[in-house]
Amino acid sequence: MMIPIANPKASYLACKELIDDAVFRVLESGWYVLGKEVSDFERSFAQWCGCSHAVGVANGTDAVEIALRSVGVHEGDCVVTVSNTANATVSAIERIGAVPVFVDVREDTYTMDPGSLSEALMMRGAKAVVPVHLYGHPADMPAICSIAHGAGAAVVEDCAQAHGATICGRKVGTFGDAAAFSFYPTKNLGAIGDGGAVVSSDNAVADRVMLLRQYGWRKRYESESKGVNSRLDEIQAAILSVKLKSLALMNGRRRQIAEFYNREFSKLPIELPLTGPGCEHVYHQYTLLCDRRDDVVAHLKLAGVGTGILYPVPIHKQPAYIDDFSDVILPVTESLADRIVSIPVYPELTDDEVHRVVHAVKSFFVKT
Ligand SMILES: Cc1ncc(COP(=O)(O)O)c(C=O)c1O
């Protein structure tokens, strides 16, 4: 049996009865969009993150866009971010009509390099900065916030891959002016469909998010400002509330698996994921760096182990963007793309499966 790179069905089965009950409760209630389940989830998710507000939206891409609009980004503004991220981060910036400015990442954690950020802000200024907590590892938020705020730019954290990651005990999502989460089914906190949230401790920002997600309505059918339809539905919220209760435990299991991989792979000729000082990684992905990456992928496939490449081509090199960013050179980002490979790390992996993954990885390097 193939061990997939992610397994959202296993995540459902892990709390099937509670989820089935929650879904049944919503179906019976007759209220399906933005109701009590959404507000209950928003309250508990805000509390879990350590923020004053969480506002549910339709998906993580909308969460980035609405968060940016809510901190004051408009058409034509520059927004600094990284190029080794999901297309979503950049698509959200461009949907506003804002201009993405790419900076390089650190060699150790693959997250935004504060030095490159500083240079970019000195050269062109920006309205906002979007660091991405890639693979579950926090970006260097103290440095990034100090540089961005010092240059008058707001900070919107992209937390889509890092629910619960911390720096000195403080959760990601609490450092910036606002933060965006995705609840796509494979995320550390995943719905059974699309979902997202913006969190913030700034009352005015949270109020703007509330308005923006539903046509700018404070009062039904009356737009106080211009908005969109980006609502979270009751079924997803009820499911998320069930899963939120075990998120810390599930992140702990991810860490346990990752630490086992780290020990088992310590003598192989590959680079293992690092955890920065004071940080807690939540291993949305367990990503290795190795030469002959494509041979490793083929070997693991034959051994029944799924892999992922996040991301095979940096955004600025993709066909849709290459003309706009032909002068952009990001040496670290570009060097990662050919060498990264993620192996399964989701919490429902059995010990047996974890051993199979270890054996498959080791056998490549012993064989060759
Ligand atoms: C870093 C990052 N940002 C944003 C998103 C967008 O989330 P969604 O797929 O819910 O729109 C994702 C999800 O793939 C992501 O990984």
Side-chain angles (χ1 to χ4, degrees):
M1 271 278 277
M2 187 78 178
I3 303 172
I5 182 67
N7 194 343
K9 183 168 176 190
S11 159
Y12 159 58
L13 293 176
C15 38
K16 180 182 176 340
E17 278 172 27
L18 292 172
I19 289 180
D20 289 352
D21 283 353
V23 171
F24 184 72
R25 183 176 70 238
V26 175
L27 292 176
E28 283 292 304
S29 77
W31 190 280
Y32 302 136
V33 176
L34 287 190
K36 181 177 177 308
E37 298 289 348
V38 170
S39 4
D40 285 353
F41 171 68
E42 289 174 336
R43 206 170 314 108
S44 32
F45 190 61
Q47 197 177 24
W48 195 87
C49 290
C51 283
S52 315
H53 309 278
V55 182
V57 296
N59 55 65
T61 314
D62 282 4
V64 177
E65 179 188 339
I66 290 174
L68 283 169
R69 288 186 188 278
S70 299
V71 299
V73 174
H74 294 105
E75 192 175 343
D77 290 334
C78 286
V79 175
V80 180
T81 191
V82 290
S83 184
N84 69 332
T85 181
N87 289 89
T89 315
V90 177
S91 134
I93 296 169
E94 292 210 316
R95 218 157 52 178
I96 302 172
V99 182
V101 174
F102 293 115
V103 295
D104 215 346
V105 294
R106 295 169 56 126
E107 278 183 72
D108 50 1
T109 60
Y110 321 143
T111 58
M112 182 177 277
D113 174 29
S116 301
L117 170 64
S118 212
E119 273 170 41
L121 289 178
M122 252 175 334
M123 276 168 65
R124 49 194 304 185
K127 198 62 180 273
V129 175
V130 183
V132 178
H133 304 301
L134 195 75
Y135 305 151
H137 191 287
D140 185 352
M141 291 315 295
I144 290 168
C145 286
S146 136
I147 295 164
H149 289 152
V155 177
V156 168
E157 298 173 63
D158 186 336
C159 300
Q161 301 189 7
H163 315 66
T166 60
I167 304 172
C168 298
R170 183 171 159 192
K171 287 200 175 93
V172 299
T174 62
F175 292 88
D177 301 279
F181 286 86
S182 163
F183 304 125
Y184 185 77
T186 56
K187 302 300 190 205
N188 288 39
L189 179 61
I192 299 195
D194 276 313
V198 178
V199 306
S200 180
S201 288
D202 181 321
N203 295 343
V205 169
D207 189 55
R208 281 195 287 275
V209 175
M210 289 280 273
L211 289 179
L212 266 169
R213 76 159 166 196
Q214 190 169 226
Y215 313 122
W217 287 354
R218 196 176 301 281
K219 217 164 97 194
R220 203 167 176 79
Y221 307 130
E222 197 179 296
S223 295
E224 182 179 307
S225 52
K226 289 181 182 168
V228 296
N229 171 1
S230 183
R231 299 181 290 226
L232 183 63
D233 73 66
E234 288 282 281
I235 289 186
Q236 301 307 336
I239 292 169
L240 288 165
S241 291
V242 169
K243 288 187 161 190
L244 182 60
K245 294 198 177 79
S246 55
L247 179 55
L249 199 72
M250 293 300 179
N251 281 343
R253 171 69 179 155
R254 284 175 187 269
R255 260 192 304 276
Q256 187 188 41
I257 297 169
E259 281 159 13
F260 183 68
Y261 287 161
N262 285 344
R263 285 196 297 279
E264 291 292 318
F265 300 154
S266 63
K267 299 213 165 59
L268 301 183
I270 53 182
E271 285 174 50
L272 303 176
L274 292 180
T275 301
C279 294
E280 198 163 53
H281 203 316
V282 291
Y283 294 100
H284 173 59
Q285 301 287 325
Y286 183 95
T287 302
L288 317 163
L289 231 61
C290 56
D291 298 328
R292 298 179 52 215
R293 188 266 316 280
D294 296 345
D295 293 340
V296 174
V297 168
H299 173 86
L300 292 181
K301 189 172 176 197
L302 273 179
V305 175
T307 52
I309 312 284
L310 283 79
Y311 295 93
V313 186
I315 308 275
H316 69 288
K317 295 277 188 192
Q318 296 185 13
Y321 297 97
I322 194 155
D323 290 343
D324 296 346
F325 298 102
S326 55
D327 57 338
V328 172
I329 300 168
L330 304 170
V332 181
T333 300
E334 287 161 28
S335 76
L336 289 171
D338 294 335
R339 300 181 62 217
I340 41 170
V341 56
S342 301
I343 57 173
V345 74
Y346 50 88
E348 297 81 13
L349 283 173
T350 63
D351 288 349
D352 211 39
E353 288 170 324
V354 171
H355 282 99
R356 268 182 58 201
V357 174
V358 166
H359 178 75
V361 171
K362 281 183 167 174
S363 66
F364 176 83
F365 293 97
V366 172
K367 190 179 71 130
T368 52

